[in-house]
């Protein structure tokens, strides 16, 4: 028996059996286990095989699928790293805008003025659209020859722009559409965060003669730090998982320049039925995103008391 | 997206797979992977009467295809007529985008949720057969009395894998030469005699250019730039792959010549620059272009546009020989757990019955696979279809090799790069051929071909 030693002086706080917390967790664990843990472990297993679930033989290849991803002579090398670099490009181009612009909007819409709720709704509205709607809509709006945008440009005497068929315009379009589409979500998070910053701090800063810029720098930003960490992490993950916009608007073109890692993984796994290689790609991408997320959180975590103490001194 | 040979039947404004579809597909995949471990006996029987008659009990059949265009309602009508004529068999048809179809079919079959009968493209047939998704149909072919003489050789041979027949050809769908007759007349060209040889064709494009019309928009996308490029490669005397299907042959001189012709059209102003997806066909509809090489499935799309004056012919000859890209739809019988013998027999009956309705199917914008059906008076009455079918002897197909679509996808990348002027044609083709050679070698290992 490994029962804990009796403590005669204090009644244990626990009421109910040892398994009570697990019973409460069970429904979640069942779903989490079935749809997250099991597929994840299974995916890891698949990535160690030359896996096509229909072929009778699924030879064990050890780390071969991973080694292929680092072997310039393999079929998947170029496709995968082209995809990763496209995903990286999109993350670098979209995240700064998606983190900063919604913050400015949130601050503007946090003031009191007539029509505020309506404007908030307008900004948030595109977010409720599905990616298929957004993708097909903008494929026609941005069509270089037939689209309304180029029509308007020409009507005002400007040169038409190959929005979807030449670089860097294809990236500009994809980032622009994604910003228009998902801006509202980050803005809502920021709005909630702004309402949590105590008004007294602003009052105190004003009394001390802080300018608007100083109030933003020393009151708003520190107050939003946890929210900022959340928004940054979620936005990086969302941008790294970009798929539908490029699939529908550019089909990965021009060439393969906007074919993101997710498109490559889908094509490899479900198009060419190389599920082992696709699983390995997926894991490599996940590991990369895991590292980036940890860096984000470390960089934006609440500063420890040591530093505050020093600043106060 | 998937580089499996896709979707000749889509409508111009093809919505791609939505996130939900992708998720559903992944979900189905997950379920299938789970179940794959316990997949046991699948029916492998190929016995039976070949589907001439059905004497079994009452059964339901699931029938999947990718007829999302104007051909969908025509097939549904055939299914309804079959159901009415067969009291004990109920066929339920499900239509989805071809890309989804190819992604979902294996998982659905493995989990026992798939169709009993399906349509496959010629170039994906061997892949599916090699992956064990299909059952042989030799007995149905015997019962139907169909023989090689009644079919285009390539179409007939493509249905055979490992010595057994897996596909019953339903139709062929070639590329055709569509033109806007109003635009031609406006430029002083005779709409009744469109240019059919290179010199005339280029002269017509110059004339149109003189009127400020970019006559033939070169699509940098698979649909239908990919089919246009393949047709041109064959016309210039080249081929996509070597005779064994071991390496890509499109980077040779003929291929470079073909792609250069498309790129030059952009440089000369015969084509607009930066043509978007489906913009080539839309430009034809808008009267912004005069010519478009598009699939025969576009007949119904163009028919539905009121006030549009258009016509269609076989492809003009730009190279040294006549050639046109074509695909083919084939009936297949799927291998699935839990399929009863009655269902197999009913499925054979269904395939047998529909494959005899060739002329009815041609209404959907297809050319019947059988020569005898093409010669029929009913087919001759379908003017656009039979105009395109005039080139039946010159049709060329992607070779039937398991996994070939993965390699052809690389050609589409070269097309995109060259027509969008980001790479010169020779470099783009050579780079794509190098990638495709790796894919082909890899597929040989996987499929043991």
């Amino acid at each position: 028996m490994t029962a804990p030693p009796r403590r005669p002086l204090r009644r244990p706080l626990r009421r109910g059996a040892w398994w009570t917390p697990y019973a409460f967790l069970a429904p979640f664990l069942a779903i989490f286990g079935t749809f997250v843990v099991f597929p994840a472990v299974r995916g890891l297993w698949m990535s160690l095989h030359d896996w096509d679930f229909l072929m009778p033989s699924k030879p064990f290849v050890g780390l071969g699928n991973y080694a292929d991803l680092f072997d310039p002579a393999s079929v998947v090398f170029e496709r995968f790293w082209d995809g990763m670099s496209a995903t990286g490009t999109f993350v670098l181009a979209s995240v700064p805008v998606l983190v900063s612009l919604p913050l400015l909007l949130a601050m503007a819409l946090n003031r009191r003025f007539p029509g505020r709720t309506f404007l908030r709704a307008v900004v948030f509205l595109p977010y409720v659209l599905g990616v298929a709607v957004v993708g097909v809509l903008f494929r026609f709006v941005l069509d270089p020859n037939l689209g309304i945008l180029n029509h308007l440009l020409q009507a005002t005497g400007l040169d038409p722009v190959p929005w979807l068929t030449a670089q860097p315009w294809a990236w500009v379009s994809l980032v622009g559409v994604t910003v228009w589409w998902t801006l509202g979500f980050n803005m809502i998070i920021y709005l909630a965060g702004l309402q949590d910053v105590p008004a007294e701090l602003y009052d105190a800063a004003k009394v001390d003669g802080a300018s608007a810029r100083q109030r933003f720098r020393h009151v708003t930003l520190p107050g939003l730090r946890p929210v900022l960490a959340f928004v940054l992490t979620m936005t990086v993950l969302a941008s790294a998982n970009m798929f539908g916009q490029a699939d529908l608007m550019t089909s990965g073109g021009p060439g393969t320049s906007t074919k993101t890692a997710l498109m490559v993984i889908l094509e490899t796994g479900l198009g060419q039925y190389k599920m082992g290689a696709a699983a390995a790609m997926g894991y490599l991408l996940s590991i990369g995103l895991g590292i980036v997320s940890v860096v984000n959180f470390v960089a934006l975590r609440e500063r420890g008391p040591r530093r505050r103490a020093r600043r106060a001194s | 997206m998937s580089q499996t040979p896709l979707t000749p039947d889509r409508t111009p404004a093809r919505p791609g797979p939505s996130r939900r579809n992708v998720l559903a597909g992944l979900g189905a995949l997950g379920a299938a992977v789970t179940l794959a471990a316990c997949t046991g006996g699948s029916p492998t029987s190929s016995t039976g009467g070949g589907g001439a008659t059905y004497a079994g009990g009452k059964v339901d059949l699931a029938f999947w295809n990718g007829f999302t265009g104007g051909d969908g309602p025509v097939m549904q009508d055939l299914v309804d007529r079959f159901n009415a004529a067969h009291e004990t068999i109920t066929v339920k048809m499900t239509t989805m985008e071809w890309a989804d179809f190819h992604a979902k079919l294996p998982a659905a079959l493995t989990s026992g949720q798939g169709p009993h009968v399906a349509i496959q493209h010629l170039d994906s047939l061997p892949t599916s057969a090699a992956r064990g998704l299909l059952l042989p149909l030799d007995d149905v072919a015997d019962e139907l009395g169909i023989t090689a003489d009644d079919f285009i050789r390539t179409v007939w041979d493509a249905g055979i894998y490992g010595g057994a027949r897996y596909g019953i050809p339903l139709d062929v769908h070639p590329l055709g030469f569509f033109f806007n007759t109003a635009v031609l007349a406006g430029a002083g060209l005779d709409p009744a005699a469109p240019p059919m040889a290179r010199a005339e064709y280029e002269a017509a494009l110059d004339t149109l250019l003189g009127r400020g019309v970019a006559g033939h928009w070169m699509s940098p996308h698979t649909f239908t730039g990919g089919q246009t490029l393949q047709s041109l490669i064959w016309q210039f005397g080249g081929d996509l792959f070597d005779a064994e299907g071991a390496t890509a042959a499109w980077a040779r001189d003929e291929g470079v010549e073909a792609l250069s012709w498309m790129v030059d059209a952009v440089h000369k102003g015969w084509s607009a620059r930066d043509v978007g997806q489906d913009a080539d066909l839309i430009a034809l509809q808008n009267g912004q272009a005069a010519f478009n090489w598009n699939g025969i499935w576009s007949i119904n799309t163009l028919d539905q546009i009121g006030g549009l004056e258009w016509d269609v012919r076989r492809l003009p000859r730009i190279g040294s020989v006549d050639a046109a890209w074509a695909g083919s739809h084939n009936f297949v019988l799927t291998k699935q757990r839990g399929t009863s013998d009655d269902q197999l027999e009913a499925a054979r009956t269904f395939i047998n019955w529909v494959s005899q309705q060739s002329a009815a199917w041609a209404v959907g914008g297809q050319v019947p696979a059988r020569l005898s059906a093409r010669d029929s008076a009913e087919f001759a009455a379908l003017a656009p279809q039979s105009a395109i079918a005039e080139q039946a002897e010159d049709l060329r197909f992607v070779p039937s090799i398991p996994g070939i679509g993965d390699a052809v996808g690389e050609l589409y990348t070269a097309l995109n790069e060259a027509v969008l002027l980001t790479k010169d044609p020779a470099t783009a083709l050579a780079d794509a051929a190098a990638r495709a050679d790796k894919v082909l070698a890899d597929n040989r290992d996987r499929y043991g071909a």
Side-chain angles (χ1 to χ4, degrees):
Chain A
M1 286 293 282
T2 54
R6 261 169 201 261
R7 293 189 192 163
L9 293 181
R10 227 205 238 169
R11 260 181 62 190
L13 275 174
R14 181 192 287 165
R15 312 193 172 104
W18 62 269
W19 46 262
T20 310
Y22 299 100
F24 278 108
L25 279 173
F28 170 75
L29 281 181
I31 293 170
F32 183 73
T34 311
F35 293 106
V36 179
V37 177
F38 176 75
V41 173
R42 184 86 185 181
L44 198 60
W45 180 246
M46 279 165 72
S47 75
L48 301 176
H49 295 74
D50 186 358
W51 191 284
D52 176 343
F53 68 91
L54 286 172
M55 297 298 260
S57 77
K58 302 180 183 68
F60 181 80
V61 293
L63 294 175
N65 284 326
Y66 293 92
D68 278 352
L69 295 179
F70 294 100
D71 171 13
S74 76
V75 183
V76 288
F77 178 84
E78 195 185 333
R79 288 154 37 79
F80 177 66
W81 289 108
D82 280 356
M84 288 293 268
S85 94
T87 293
T89 308
F90 184 75
V91 169
L92 288 179
S94 67
V95 169
V97 187
L98 280 170
V99 169
S100 57
L101 193 59
L103 177 57
L104 297 179
L105 267 172
M107 290 185 356
L109 293 174
N110 199 32
R111 302 168 176 214
R112 291 180 186 286
F113 60 89
R116 181 176 73 158
T117 314
F118 175 74
L119 273 179
R120 284 180 183 178
V122 165
V123 174
F124 187 75
L125 211 56
Y127 189 73
V128 306
L129 297 176
V131 67
V133 176
V134 172
V136 174
L137 173 72
F138 277 95
R139 196 169 96 198
F140 287 106
V141 170
L142 298 173
D143 187 289
N145 292 294
L146 311 168
I148 189 165
L149 187 58
N150 271 353
H151 179 76
L152 292 176
L153 284 181
Q154 281 169 304
T156 50
L158 296 167
D159 283 337
V161 173
W163 293 109
L164 299 174
T165 50
Q167 294 294 15
W169 299 110
W171 281 128
V172 171
S173 305
L174 288 172
V175 169
V177 167
T178 307
V179 167
W180 173 81
W181 180 35
T182 62
L183 177 81
F185 180 75
N186 284 354
M187 183 198 72
I188 294 288
I189 308 277
Y190 279 130
L191 266 178
L194 284 174
Q195 282 155 19
D196 270 355
V197 182
E200 304 87 68
L201 291 183
Y202 288 104
D203 294 339
K206 273 185 203 161
V207 169
D208 287 347
S211 68
R213 176 174 300 195
Q214 283 169 323
R215 290 200 298 276
F216 175 70
R217 168 79 186 78
H218 295 290
V219 180
T220 310
L221 276 188
L224 280 180
R225 193 192 294 280
V227 175
L228 214 56
F230 173 78
V231 167
L232 182 64
T233 310
M234 295 311 286
T235 308
V236 167
L237 291 180
S239 287
N241 284 327
M242 198 269 273
F243 171 82
Q245 299 96 303
D247 188 48
L248 291 164
M249 287 166 52
T250 63
S251 298
T256 53
S257 57
T258 59
K259 188 178 267 186
T260 61
L262 246 61
M263 292 167 79
V264 173
I265 292 173
L266 181 78
E267 192 178 282
T268 309
L270 290 179
Q272 307 185 349
Y273 311 114
K274 291 180 191 164
M275 288 145 198
M281 291 178 186
Y283 265 93
L284 214 57
L285 178 65
S286 311
I287 292 168
L289 290 178
I291 293 171
V292 171
S293 301
V294 168
V295 169
N296 280 343
F297 258 111
V298 169
L300 284 170
R301 73 178 188 278
E302 292 281 3
R303 297 282 189 252
R306 202 166 54 91
R307 179 147 170 212
R308 263 186 208 159
R310 199 173 48 206
R311 194 183 283 165
S313 65
Chain B
M1 253 325 289
S2 142
Q3 293 185 351
T4 26
L6 306 162
T7 64
D9 302 281
R10 58 198 201 117
T11 45
R14 171 179 80 112
S18 68
R19 181 169 17 182
R20 181 180 299 169
N21 283 349
V22 171
L23 288 177
L26 291 177
L29 175 67
V33 168
T34 319
L35 287 163
C38 44
T39 326
S42 304
T44 48
S45 128
S46 75
T47 55
T53 53
Y54 176 72
K58 214 168 165 55
V59 288
D60 289 331
L61 287 183
F63 169 41
W64 283 18
N65 59 54
F67 298 133
T68 51
D71 40 9
V74 180
M75 182 52 84
Q76 183 63 56
D77 184 51
L78 283 175
V79 168
D80 292 344
R81 280 170 47 200
F82 174 84
N83 286 341
H86 296 77
E87 277 182 15
T88 45
I89 308 175
T90 309
V91 178
K92 190 173 172 296
M93 178 169 118
T94 306
T95 302
M96 65 195 81
E97 295 285 341
W98 283 114
D100 294 339
F101 174 93
H102 287 296
K104 278 179 188 166
L105 185 70
L109 288 179
T110 316
S111 60
Q113 305 290 316
H116 305 96
V117 183
I119 298 285
Q120 290 252 297
H121 283 124
L122 185 81
D123 40 3
S124 52
L125 245 177
T127 315
S128 297
R131 300 181 75 229
L133 294 174
L134 310 179
L135 289 175
L137 280 166
D138 294 285
D139 56 333
V140 179
D142 288 346
E143 167 59 33
L144 281 169
I146 53 176
T147 58
D149 307 337
D150 203 21
F151 290 88
I152 296 169
R153 188 83 217 171
T154 324
V155 175
W156 178 255
D157 290 345
I160 299 171
Y161 178 81
R165 167 159 295 280
Y166 287 92
I168 302 287
L170 172 67
D171 61 49
V172 289
H173 40 263
L175 211 58
F177 167 35
F178 291 81
F179 48 95
N180 186 316
T181 50
V183 174
L184 281 189
L189 297 163
D190 181 4
M196 297 304 292
R198 180 169 180 167
E200 298 169 46
Y201 198 81
E202 293 181 346
L205 287 170
D206 278 332
T207 309
L208 287 160
L209 186 59
R211 299 280 181 134
V213 176
H216 183 165
W217 288 26
M218 295 298 163
S219 166
H221 306 284
T222 307
F223 288 93
T224 53
Q227 284 83 33
T228 303
L229 174 59
Q230 291 175 50
S231 304
L232 284 168
I233 292 175
W234 285 316
Q235 285 198 359
F236 279 98
D239 209 341
L240 302 183
F241 301 97
D242 64 21
E244 290 78 40
T247 57
W250 59 62
R252 296 178 192 162
D253 291 348
E254 300 88 356
V256 176
E257 219 177 334
L259 185 52
S260 299
W261 188 79
M262 294 179 73
V263 174
D264 287 346
V266 178
H267 285 303
K268 288 177 180 163
W270 294 341
S271 163
R273 285 186 182 216
D274 301 307
V275 176
Q277 278 188 71
D278 302 319
D280 48 339
L281 186 62
I282 296 171
L284 181 90
Q285 296 165 20
N286 293 354
Q288 290 166 277
F291 306 142
N292 183 224
W293 294 14
N294 215 309
I296 188 171
W297 55 86
S298 301
I299 289 176
N300 282 0
T301 311
L302 296 178
D303 258 343
Q304 284 159 11
I305 300 166
L308 176 65
E309 296 169 45
W310 64 279
D311 205 346
V312 64
R313 294 283 187 281
R314 59 178 301 161
L315 287 192
R317 187 202 288 183
I318 303 299
S320 52
V321 290
D322 281 319
W325 173 93
S328 167
H329 291 127
N330 288 256
F331 272 113
V332 294
L333 195 56
T334 59
K335 189 197 285 191
Q336 180 171 216
R337 301 183 320 130
T339 303
S340 69
D341 286 345
D342 270 359
Q343 279 174 320
L344 282 179
E345 203 45 44
R348 289 197 170 84
T349 309
F350 176 65
I351 294 174
N352 188 318
W353 187 87
V354 179
S355 83
Q356 296 182 51
Q357 316 293 320
S358 278
W361 175 235
V363 175
Q366 311 282 348
V367 176
R370 299 180 184 202
L371 298 178
S372 45
R374 284 207 295 280
D375 291 339
S376 70
E378 291 151 290
F379 183 68
L382 298 167
Q385 279 91 332
S386 40
I388 293 179
E390 273 175 31
Q391 58 193 350
E393 300 302 315
D394 305 311
L395 298 183
R396 306 288 284 268
F397 299 81
V398 171
S400 298
I401 302 166
I404 196 72
D406 310 343
V408 178
E410 300 294 348
L411 177 65
Y412 299 149
T413 301
L415 164 81
N416 192 277
E417 292 165 340
V419 174
L420 292 178
L421 311 179
T422 57
K423 263 191 195 177
D424 78 272
T427 317
L429 286 170
D431 291 353
R435 293 192 302 268
D437 287 351
K438 282 186 195 172
V439 172
L440 289 167
D442 204 51
N443 279 348
R444 271 198 302 285
D445 293 344
R446 291 182 67 213
Y447 296 108

